[in-house]
Amino acid sequence: MNSTIIPYLFYLFSFMIVVSGLLVVTLRNIFHCALFLIICLFSVAGVYVLLGADFIAAVQVLLYVGAIAVLMIFAIMLTAKVSGIGIKQQNEQVPIAIITTVAFVAIALYGLGKTIWNIKTDAVISGDTTMAIGKLLMTTYVVPFEIVSVVLLAALIGAIVIARRN
Amino acid sequence: MEISLAHYLALAAVLFGIGLFGVLTRRNAVGILMSIELMFNAVNINLVAFNRFVTPADFTGQIFSIFVIVVAAAEATVGLAIVLLIYRNFRDIFVDNINLMKW
């Protein structure tokens, strides 16, 4: 990728992430929130591409945009009459939540501004990351890989058991 | 103009704060789950950015972000099943109305 265009793309994706994320947490219509969540997740996939993680970007689009967002929309559709315009969607904790959030973000930004990171730029791997990730998942990280697949299976069966009508 | 590690970390911190605000203020249980997804994404941006800038020779951060994505998928599945079950029993998914177990 042409490196001169990366800053512009980064600021474009950041703008889209922050604006659509704010709309996700503040809009009254919960269905519109789900649509803006899709935009936000797409923009995060764009940030992964800028970071050279093409496999993670593909997984993000497949799993988040393709599966989780559709699941959210299904849940919104199935829990009808609670997503109307006139219904209050936020509780009475908004002022205290604003204070907490701003304090957290300020502390995090102050901390990361103060920290000196151990940055290595010599061995940046460009190009295809899928093969390297696949090899690592089958060799070094095979035990966590198997455990996480069991977790996924347990969640699948658990969701069916919980949501089953009897 | 070079985009450094701090830019990505700042973006992730802001996104995590947005998700935190949503979790604290949303009444709708599905809205809370969507805010949690925003926080998961902020963590994943951090992992991939550290992978790119601090350990560029191996893929540890990217592999851990895959694990985070898988656990997020499991969490969304079970969470939405619980939300559907609550809706079926209470006809309501506003978490401040569901206070059966609150003393």
Side-chain angles (χ1 to χ4, degrees), chain A residues 100-166:
Chain A
T100 312
T101 307
V102 170
F104 168 77
V105 174
I107 291 171
L109 292 180
Y110 177 77
L112 73 89
K114 281 281 181 186
T115 311
I116 296 156
W117 306 103
N118 183 20
I119 292 178
K120 296 190 187 71
T121 48
D122 46 347
V124 174
I125 294 170
S126 58
D128 188 19
T129 61
T130 312
M131 194 170 81
I133 288 175
K135 275 183 179 166
L136 277 175
L137 278 179
M138 284 294 133
T139 54
T140 314
Y141 298 98
V142 65
V143 176
F145 181 69
E146 293 297 329
I147 289 173
V148 92
S149 55
V150 172
V151 166
L152 207 56
L153 182 67
L156 191 75
I157 297 170
I160 293 171
V161 170
I162 289 171
R164 185 184 55 184
R165 253 179 242 273
N166 47 1

Side-chain angles (χ1 to χ4, degrees), chain B residues 23-43:
Chain B
V23 169
L24 290 175
T25 59
R26 274 286 177 200
R27 290 178 71 216
N28 194 325
V30 182
I32 292 176
L33 284 174
M34 292 200 290
S35 309
I36 292 174
E37 298 300 331
L38 291 183
M39 292 162 85
F40 275 128
N41 271 282
V43 172

Side-chain angles (χ1 to χ4, degrees), chain A residues 49-72:
Chain A
V49 171
L50 292 186
L51 283 165
D54 49 356
F55 181 70
I56 305 293
V59 168
Q60 168 92 2
V61 171
L62 277 176
L63 242 146
Y64 267 108
V65 182
I68 291 180
V70 173
L71 209 62
M72 294 282 173

